[in-house]
Amino acid sequence: MRVAYHEELTSIRDGPVEMAHLVGSAMGRATSALLNADLQLAESVLSADARVDNLQRDLENRAVTVLARQQPVATELRVVVTSLRMSADLERGGDLAQHVAKLARLRYPEHAVPHDLRRTILEMGQLAQRLMAQAAEVLFTQDVAAALQLEKDDDRMDELHRMTFQHLMDERWQHHVETAVDVTLAGRYCERFADHAVSVARGLVYLVTGERADELITEPPASA
């Protein structure tokens, strides 16, 4: 009985790894669909999201069963509760990738992102995918130091997000309001996706150490 219980805990702990890989790939493909006006690729992102939703529901069902039948405590309870929270973050990440794909589909056959912002949105999409891949890696390796580093790596996403607004507010902006809305939404989706990757990494820190990530991150001393 205890062997089966621990196998179930391991399965619950490992469930978010697969979800993270799936949603990271989805964001990468959605970004490509958006920038290249690729309707077929956008539709593939939309249809693939059902697998993420199914994985989340399955994890929730197994977690509830373990809580009800085994009443885990201490580290085992952290595994169950944190995995549930992670799965919610990852499911939302999948939804955000869908939003990017829907934006591509909405503007097809036109390009939603103008040429002068393609590089910025491309970097945002690639960074979002990379951060989620890092989150999947730290979930697999249980590497607390790498999880803490991921939060620092997210600073670049915040910088890119600010750059999109600066570009939109520039007096030289010559595109339509509709285009400004599309770019604003695309940037916001990528930025929020990255936030969910960071949240997953924070969850790993708590799962392994029992402490909050912000309690472990140390800022460099101020220069004299």
Side-chain angles (χ1 to χ4, degrees):
M1 179 66 74
R2 296 300 294 178
V3 171
Y5 167 52
H6 285 290
E7 287 178 349
E8 188 68 10
L9 280 176
T10 299
S11 176
I12 291 170
R13 185 196 66 196
D14 293 345
V17 178
E18 181 178 3
M19 292 182 68
H21 282 302
L22 288 172
V23 299
S25 174
M27 179 53 83
R29 290 182 291 117
T31 302
S32 180
L34 179 69
L35 295 176
N36 298 311
D38 189 330
L39 181 61
Q40 184 176 359
L41 187 57
E43 293 290 359
S44 75
V45 173
L46 297 174
S47 61
D49 189 62
R51 184 177 177 189
V52 175
D53 294 339
N54 290 336
L55 286 171
Q56 187 201 19
R57 283 193 291 269
D58 180 62
L59 189 150
E60 285 180 344
N61 290 336
R62 288 185 285 115
V64 168
T65 298
V66 166
L67 289 171
R69 295 181 178 176
Q70 303 294 340
Q71 299 180 341
V73 296
T75 301
E76 294 172 353
L77 180 60
R78 285 208 307 273
V79 168
V80 177
V81 173
T82 305
S83 295
L84 280 171
R85 291 177 176 173
M86 288 176 178
S87 72
D89 273 307
L90 293 166
E91 189 275 335
R92 182 56 184 151
D95 287 346
L96 290 164
Q98 271 197 311
H99 292 338
V100 174
K102 287 178 180 178
L103 192 57
R105 183 175 66 179
L106 177 65
R107 300 306 176 202
Y108 179 83
E110 303 297 326
H111 289 77
V113 179
H115 180 77
D116 45 333
L117 272 166
R118 281 178 58 87
R119 180 177 296 181
T120 302
I121 296 300
L122 174 61
E123 184 176 351
M124 292 183 79
Q126 290 177 337
L127 178 57
Q129 181 181 13
R130 186 165 67 250
L131 289 171
M132 191 59 77
Q134 290 174 230
E137 181 68 16
V138 299
L139 288 176
F140 180 74
T141 61
Q142 307 257 306
D143 187 334
V144 171
L148 294 173
Q149 180 60 43
L150 193 150
E151 185 155 4
K152 298 176 182 178
D153 293 342
D154 181 54
D155 290 344
R156 175 58 179 168
M157 180 65 79
D158 296 333
E159 180 183 348
L160 289 166
H161 196 215
R162 288 191 297 270
M163 286 171 59
T164 61
F165 282 106
Q166 291 168 358
H167 195 99
L168 294 173
M169 297 300 292
D170 194 300
E171 61 183 13
R172 293 169 293 179
W173 174 262
Q174 298 178 347
H175 305 289
H176 297 298
V177 172
E178 183 179 79
T179 302
V181 172
D182 289 345
V183 170
T184 300
L185 289 174
R188 179 60 173 166
Y189 297 150
C190 290
E191 189 265 342
R192 287 297 298 138
F193 185 95
D195 286 345
H196 287 294
V198 171
S199 182
V200 168
R202 286 181 173 183
L204 182 279
V205 172
Y206 178 70
L207 190 157
V208 173
T209 68
E211 298 183 71
R212 306 289 180 183
D214 54 7
E215 297 171 350
L216 297 177
I217 295 176
T218 56
E219 297 295 334
S223 57

